[in-house]
Amino acid sequence: MYRIGIDVGGTNTDAVIIDEQLKLVHGVKIPTSSDIQTGIEQALHKVMAESSIDPGKISHAMLGTTQCTNAIVERKKLSKVGVIRLGYPATASVKPFTAWPEDMIETLGETFELVHGGYEYDGQPLTELDEGEVKSVLAQWKGSVESLAIVGVFSSLKNDQEFQVAEWAKEILGEEIPVSCSSTVGSVGLIERENATILNAALDKVMAMTSNGFERALENEGINNAQAYLCQNDGTLMSIDYARQFPILTIACGPTNSIRGASYLAKLKNAIVLDVGGTTSDLGVLANGFPRESSLAVEVGGIRTNFRMPDIVSIGLGGGSVIREINGEVTVGPDSVGYKITEEALVFGGNQLTATDIAVRLGKAEVGDKQLVDKVPLELAEKAYQKMKEMIEDAIDKMKVSSGDVELVLVGGGAIIIPENLKGVATAHLDSNGGVANAIGASIAQISGQYEQIYIYSKLSREDSLEEAKAKATNQARLAGAIEETIELVEVEETPLAYHPENATRLRVKVVGKMK
C-alpha cells in the first residue's frame, strides 16, 4: 500500500508517493494554479500517471494547502459571522472586532452581541447565563449569519456556558449553521482567543470547498479506498471532518510540512530548517522532530490571534527574487517573478535578473542556459550573492537560542541559491529530494491532539490535572483520526498564572498517534 502527499505553495504544487516503509517512490512539482484546485488535480494526475501505481493501492492521501490563509489575506470566500460574547457588562469597554482591518470587518459583517455570562478567573460566574436573552439574539440573526462564533470570558477554565449556547444555536439557527466555541480554538487571553474563533467561523465555506475538491480529485483518479487527511500547522494531520470543524488549524501548514520533511530527509530531530521557495524563504526550528511553536500572539491577515502557530521567520529571498543595482547599491527582492521564473529569469530566456541567475552566473547552480547570464557583470553578481548570504545569516541568527553553531537543513525548489559556509552553521544538509520536502512532510505526518486549560492545583492535584488533560487531548487525537492504542504523550507545557491566589496553572498537553 502507498500514501500520497500533496502540498500547495505560492509558486509550486508538489505531490509525492511513498511506500509502507516511508520510502519516496516518486515526486512531481508543477506550477500552482491561480484557482489552487486545478493545480492539486494536475499534480495528483501527474504523480499517479508517472508512477504507474494502481489507484486501489493508495491507502492514505494528505493535503497541505494555503487556501485558508489566502482567503484571509485576500478577504475572499469568507462566511458572514455572528459573534456572541458571554461577558456583559464586564467586557463592554472593548467590543468584538476592535482593531480589525476595516475591509475584513466589511467582509464578515459586524454582527455581534454581548450577553450575560462568563466566569471569573477562579471559576465563579461573572453573571448567570440568560437563556431568553441568548435565544432572542439568535432568533434575530436567523437568515443573516452563515456561521457563529461563541466566546466566553475565562472559558479556558470552564466552557459549559459556551457549549450550552451552541446547543441553543442548533435549535434556533439549524444544524447547517456551523458553530465555533472559543475554548476549543484559541488559548488564554479573551480578545486574541475571540479573534481566532471568529476567523475559524469565517473559514467554513473555504474549507468545505477545499475538502470537497480534494475528495473529488481523488475520485477522478480512481482513488476510492484512501483515507483523506488535511495538514495542521503543528506538523501533524487531521481527518477531513475534523478540518471542517477547525479550518483555522490549516494556516501555516506549508512551512511545518517542510520542517517535518526536512527532518525525514536529513534524519535529524534538532536543527534549523531553511525552506527556499520562489518568492520567500521560511526558517523554522526542528525541536525533537516537530516544529517549534511560537510563544507570541500571531497576526493572521492583520488580525491578532493566539491559537497554536509554528515559530517561523520569513524573509523576502527566493529563487525568483528580483535583483537590481541602483546608484551602485545592489538590492535583493522583496518582489519576485514567483511561479513565472521559467519565463522571466535570464537563464530561461526572460529579461529579469533574479537570484537564480546570480547563482548560475557564479557557477553555484546549474539550471537553464548558463550562456544567457554571461553578460551579467561579475562584480554585480558577487555583490548580490554577498547580500543574499547576509540576509540568510541574519535570519538564522534570529532563530538560534544559543551562540553555538547549528545544523541547517536546506529544502525547497530554491535551495540552489543558498551560499555555502554560512556564519553560525556547523553543517548544511542538502538532499536531492529537498525540492518536494513539503509534500514528503505531509505524507509522513502523524495525527495529533492538543488540550489546554487553566487548572487550580489546590483544587485538583497536578497528577490528576495532567491525567485529565491527557485524556482530553487523546480524545481530540481520536476525533482527528488517530488509532487510540498508538497515541502517546509528546509534550507538556505548564505556565503558572502569577495573578491567581490559588496556584493556578495554564496546562497544555500534546499527544500524537498513527493514522487509521
Side-chain angles (χ1 to χ4, degrees):
M1 300 303 277
Y2 299 89
R3 297 181 189 182
I4 283 181
I6 300 173
D7 188 272
V8 182
T11 305
N12 290 305
T13 295
D14 303 341
V16 299
I17 294 182
I18 63 170
D19 64 18
E20 284 177 316
Q21 279 73 49
L22 301 186
K23 288 200 170 62
L24 181 64
V25 175
H26 190 61
V28 301
K29 186 181 278 287
I30 66 160
T32 294
S33 58
S34 55
D35 68 342
I36 307 282
Q37 191 59 46
T38 308
I40 292 172
E41 289 170 356
Q42 288 175 346
L44 184 59
H45 180 72
K46 189 175 183 190
V47 80
M48 289 301 294
E50 290 183 5
S51 64
S52 304
I53 285 171
D54 176 2
K57 290 190 175 173
I58 304 294
S59 59
H60 298 85
M62 299 80 164
L63 174 67
T65 175
T66 57
Q67 273 166 296
C68 285
T69 315
N70 293 352
I72 292 171
V73 172
E74 296 168 10
R75 321 298 201 220
K76 287 179 182 171
K77 303 172 190 159
L78 299 170
S79 300
K80 297 286 183 192
V81 181
V83 184
I84 290 182
R85 186 198 287 172
L86 314 174
Y88 184 81
T91 65
S93 58
V94 182
K95 294 186 167 56
F97 296 107
T98 296
W100 279 52
E102 283 298 323
D103 59 342
M104 191 61 158
I105 295 172
E106 208 175 296
T107 303
L108 302 191
E110 200 173 0
T111 307
F112 67 85
E113 198 66 56
L114 272 60
V115 300
H116 290 87
Y119 289 99
E120 297 276 10
Y121 63 80
D122 60 357
Q124 296 300 312
L126 265 175
T127 54
E128 292 300 329
L129 196 58
D130 184 330
E131 183 175 352
E133 180 186 31
V134 172
K135 286 187 170 178
S136 167
V137 170
L138 291 168
Q140 287 170 36
W141 289 353
K142 191 162 188 181
S144 63
V145 299
E146 298 168 310
S147 193
L148 191 67
I150 303 168
V151 187
V153 177
F154 273 104
S155 62
S156 44
L157 184 67
K158 278 180 94 170
N159 58 9
D160 57 320
Q161 290 182 350
E162 286 189 351
F163 292 152
Q164 178 61 72
V165 173
E167 277 183 40
W168 293 335
K170 293 288 180 194
E171 278 174 39
I172 293 167
L173 299 177
E175 292 285 336
E176 68 281 359
I177 298 294
V179 177
S180 296
C181 292
S182 77
S183 56
T184 64
V185 175
S187 179
V188 177
L190 176 66
I191 299 301
E192 289 86 357
R193 173 161 44 88
E194 180 173 78
N195 291 348
T197 309
I198 295 169
L199 287 177
N200 189 67
L203 289 166
D204 170 65
K205 287 194 293 195
V206 180
M207 181 49 69
M209 284 189 296
T210 302
S211 53
N212 293 344
F214 184 39
E215 287 178 324
R216 266 199 315 276
L218 292 169
E219 278 172 30
N220 292 344
E221 288 300 320
I223 302 170
N224 300 315
N225 304 322
Q227 292 276 351
Y229 295 91
L230 267 83
C231 298
Q232 298 194 62
N233 54 19
D234 65 351
T236 60
L237 300 168
M238 55 184 164
S239 66
I240 281 189
D241 286 344
Y242 196 77
R244 285 175 180 144
Q245 271 184 280
F246 301 106
I248 200 162
L249 295 182
T250 64
I251 289 174
C253 67
T256 56
N257 282 342
S258 294
I259 293 169
R260 291 279 286 144
S263 172
Y264 168 83
L265 290 170
K267 297 180 173 54
L268 291 173
K269 291 209 161 188
N270 297 285
I272 287 180
V273 177
L274 177 59
D275 178 15
V276 191
T279 304
T280 59
S281 292
D282 295 323
L283 288 96
V285 176
L286 257 175
N288 199 25
F290 284 92
R292 183 174 77 193
E293 283 189 22
S294 174
S295 57
L296 304 172
V298 177
E299 283 210 354
V300 180
I303 300 142
R304 191 176 167 84
T305 68
N306 67 355
F307 66 98
R308 61 180 188 263
M309 285 282 275
D311 188 6
I312 301 289
V313 167
S314 291
I315 58 173
L317 171 65
S321 292
V322 177
I323 309 293
R324 295 185 181 86
E325 186 173 29
I326 303 162
N327 301 327
E329 195 64 35
V330 175
T331 62
V332 178
D335 54 329
S336 166
V337 297
Y339 62 85
K340 292 185 175 175
I341 187 166
T342 52
E343 301 162 28
E344 298 194 8
L346 295 182
V347 288
F348 296 113
N351 54 16
Q352 196 72 264
L353 180 61
T354 67
T356 299
D357 297 318
I358 297 296
V360 173
R361 174 68 178 91
L362 296 174
K364 309 287 185 185
E366 291 180 26
V367 290
D369 185 349
K370 188 176 186 298
Q371 291 178 330
L372 295 174
V373 290
D374 281 349
K375 289 180 182 173
V376 176
L378 198 57
E379 188 185 354
L380 167 63
E382 285 169 349
K383 270 189 189 175
Y385 205 61
Q386 183 59 32
K387 181 91 174 174
M388 288 154 58
K389 188 169 189 278
E390 286 167 8
M391 288 170 75
I392 295 155
E393 287 172 346
D394 286 349
I396 289 170
D397 197 51
K398 282 180 187 169
M399 299 304 284
K400 287 165 67 175
V401 291
S402 67
S403 59
D405 289 353
V406 294
E407 298 293 317
L408 179 71
V409 186
L410 295 168
V411 295
I416 55 169
I417 70 166
I418 302 304
E420 295 169 0
N421 306 319
L422 294 162
K423 197 164 60 184
V425 173
T427 314
H429 303 262
L430 181 61
D431 190 280
S432 58
N433 292 314
V436 289
N438 43 8
I440 291 171
S443 60
I444 62 163
Q446 295 165 291
I447 309 281
S448 75
Q450 285 208 150
Y451 187 74
E452 181 179 315
Q453 190 179 313
I454 298 171
Y455 285 95
I456 299 170
Y457 288 166
S458 59
K459 292 183 179 176
L460 186 68
S461 73
R462 179 177 178 274
E463 290 71 26
D464 290 345
S465 299
L466 272 169
E467 203 53 47
E468 181 182 293
K470 185 187 170 188
K472 289 184 173 176
T474 299
N475 190 48
Q476 291 289 351
R478 191 178 52 74
L479 291 172
I483 302 168
E484 193 152 358
E485 309 81 74
T486 68
I487 296 171
E488 57 182 351
L489 184 67
V490 292
E491 201 176 307
V492 176
E493 185 184 290
E494 294 175 275
T495 311
L497 303 182
Y499 56 79
H500 199 287
E502 292 187 89
N503 192 21
T505 300
R506 179 173 71 91
L507 181 60
R508 185 176 71 85
V509 300
K510 178 176 176 177
V511 298
V512 296
K514 291 180 181 173
M515 66 187 92
K516 288 176 183 171

